[in-house]
Amino acid sequence: MRDAAGAPVPNAAVAVELKGQPARPATGAAATMAQRDRQFQPQLLVVQTGTAVNFPNFDTVRHHVYSFSPTKKFELKLYSGTPAEPVVFDKPGVAQLGCNIHDRMSAHIVVVDTPLFGITDAKGEVTLNLPPGEHRLRLWATRMGNAAPSAQPLVVAAGAAGVLKVELKD
């Protein structure tokens, strides 16, 4: 993935919804959004709808983690260690996270209706094994804020592996 100037877009969420396969929530899936050195780790987490996300605090200070995003509104009031219950992300979209105690702490959780997803590397690349057919490609990068991932059609030809180059427009 590249931006309009041709520069790679690292740390962008990429998901592919397969045509003809209904979205199914993840069953028993779990993920982690840690707090370490007064930062969220990772800064971007992509999960399938229905995933339970744990929020362990490895810092020596307490955090108050929240999201007021329509995708998932929640608050984990001042705590240390790991909250007893994870937060289940039950609808697709983007949740922006913050900490009421440490204003500079922020991260995003992108929730997608497919198990086929990844995050671009420093070169703006991600590899997904896709079946041939007509599908829907969803993309999200930090510069998009809380906007839903953009969508566009994707056609995967049968046979040899292919490369799709995508330009992210502001």
Side-chain angles (χ1 to χ4, degrees), residues 14-96:
V14 177
V16 176
E17 298 167 351
L18 301 181
K19 185 174 183 180
Q21 290 191 11
R24 294 192 176 120
T27 305
T32 300
M33 175 61 78
Q35 294 110 67
R36 223 179 233 115
D37 300 324
R38 296 182 186 176
Q39 294 294 322
F40 287 108
Q41 291 181 358
Q43 292 288 298
L44 172 62
L45 179 64
V46 183
V47 299
Q48 185 177 355
T49 307
T51 298
V53 178
N54 291 295
F55 289 86
N57 177 359
F58 295 104
D59 286 332
T60 57
V61 297
R62 296 190 304 168
H63 292 294
H64 182 141
V65 176
Y66 68 89
S67 172
F68 297 132
S69 303
T71 295
K72 186 67 178 182
K73 294 180 182 185
F74 69 94
E75 278 189 87
L76 300 174
K77 296 188 177 184
L78 281 173
Y79 73 96
S80 56
T82 302
E85 295 294 322
V87 176
V88 176
F89 286 77
D90 50 3
K91 64 181 179 181
V94 178
Q96 182 173 1

Side-chain angles (χ1 to χ4, degrees), residues 1-2 7-12 14 119-126 164 166:
M1 184 180 327
R2 302 211 173 264
V9 179
N11 298 317
V14 177
I119 297 175
T120 57
D121 62 17
K123 296 184 217 172
E125 297 176 358
V126 65
L164 173 67
V166 177

Side-chain angles (χ1 to χ4, degrees), residues 6 9 22 28 38 45 47 79 83 86 103 110 134 142 145 150 154 165:
V9 179
R38 296 182 186 176
L45 179 64
V47 299
Y79 73 96
D103 290 339
V110 177
E134 295 178 16
T142 304
S150 66
L154 169 66
K165 294 183 179 183

Side-chain angles (χ1 to χ4, degrees), residues 131-145:
E134 295 178 16
H135 310 303
R136 178 157 302 283
L137 177 68
R138 295 208 178 263
L139 305 169
W140 182 89
T142 304
R143 66 180 77 176
M144 295 171 68

